[in-house]
Amino acid sequence: MSKKDEKIQKILEVTADLCIRNGYQGTSVDELTSKTGFSKATIYRYFKSKECLIAATLEHYSKMHTKALIELINDKELSLREKIDVRFEKLRHLMAENQFYGCYFQLAYSEFCNKDEDITSICTQYSHDRVELIAEMLARHDVDDAQQKATKAELIFSGLIATLPISKDTQLIDIAKEMYIKEIF
């Protein structure tokens, strides 16, 4: 990885961390410069505005999360039930480690809906892609009505990731998982 790529990677990671904790609107470029050690000039060399930085951060995490979901879906060693278990157990692990603050995309959408077309589009596309990938997974496992079941199941999953940071109640993971499984099977 080049030095430029390393800088961009660090900026994206710190942006994601600050924004999920403080909100996108509540995160300043000054705070970002303090946490990265890079000047405003360096940040603006790579991203022409704060909104461009946020869009790039969301795009980066969209690719990262989508790649992980595709790897899970393609894991031939796991049954459908085990693949579902993995997704919910990842949330449980993040909660146990106090590393889950919510969904980057839900938060960004709520803050930028009708304000920034690029950010809104990235969030909407990520949500759509996630449902499509789950539908593909269900179809591969011969689940009838895969598209409809994926839509309903992911609605449950989205509700869980929206609720966990507020409630901090990990029992909701078990409740949502039971609902998710019931919807699919």
Side-chain angles (χ1 to χ4, degrees):
M1 186 181 289
S2 71
K3 288 196 181 250
K4 175 185 173 184
D5 290 341
E6 287 176 9
K7 284 181 183 179
I8 290 171
Q9 180 73 22
K10 183 173 183 178
I11 292 167
L12 295 175
E13 288 173 359
V14 172
T15 298
D17 185 57
L18 290 173
C19 289
I20 201 67
R21 293 172 190 260
N22 305 331
Y24 291 93
Q25 306 286 351
T27 298
S28 69
V29 176
D30 288 333
E31 187 176 13
L32 185 58
T33 61
S34 172
K35 296 288 185 184
T36 62
F38 301 136
S39 68
K40 281 185 182 182
T42 299
I43 292 170
Y44 285 122
R45 180 180 315 133
Y46 301 123
F47 308 98
K48 68 179 181 178
S49 68
K50 181 179 172 186
E51 288 75 18
C52 289
L53 170 58
I54 291 167
T57 301
L58 291 167
E59 190 68 40
H60 171 74
Y61 278 88
S62 174
K63 287 176 184 174
M64 189 175 80
H65 291 303
T66 299
K67 180 182 176 194
L69 185 55
I70 290 169
E71 287 173 2
L72 178 64
I73 289 168
N74 290 333
D75 189 336
K76 294 181 183 350
E77 301 294 318
L78 299 177
S79 68
L80 176 58
R81 180 73 181 249
E82 290 169 326
K83 291 173 185 179
I84 294 167
D85 288 345
V86 166
R87 289 186 77 208
F88 284 89
E89 289 311 308
K90 282 183 181 180
L91 282 177
R92 186 182 315 283
H93 174 75
L94 289 171
M95 289 294 291
E97 298 292 320
N98 289 321
Q99 294 180 348
F100 184 74
Y101 304 100
C103 177
Y104 300 113
F105 305 96
Q106 289 174 346
L107 178 61
Y109 188 86
S110 70
E111 290 191 35
F112 288 97
C113 179
N114 301 321
K115 294 178 186 168
D116 188 287
E117 206 172 293
D118 289 338
I119 292 172
T120 302
S121 176
I122 293 165
C123 296
T124 303
Q125 189 63 49
Y126 173 74
S127 178
H128 172 78
D129 291 349
R130 199 176 77 210
V131 171
E132 291 304 310
L133 286 169
I134 297 301
E136 179 183 326
M137 178 178 73
L138 298 181
R140 285 185 189 180
H141 288 276
D142 299 319
V143 173
D144 293 333
D145 300 319
Q147 186 68 47
Q148 182 178 14
K149 288 181 178 179
T151 300
K152 290 179 179 180
E154 284 304 291
L155 183 60
I156 294 164
F157 196 80
S158 292
L160 175 63
I161 60 177
T163 304
L164 277 176
I166 299 167
S167 71
K168 307 283 189 221
D169 183 357
T170 56
Q171 290 179 344
L172 295 177
I173 297 170
D174 297 322
I175 294 167
K177 181 174 155 185
E178 182 181 321
M179 292 167 60
Y180 195 100
I181 289 168
K182 184 177 179 182
E183 188 56 50
I184 291 173
F185 299 103

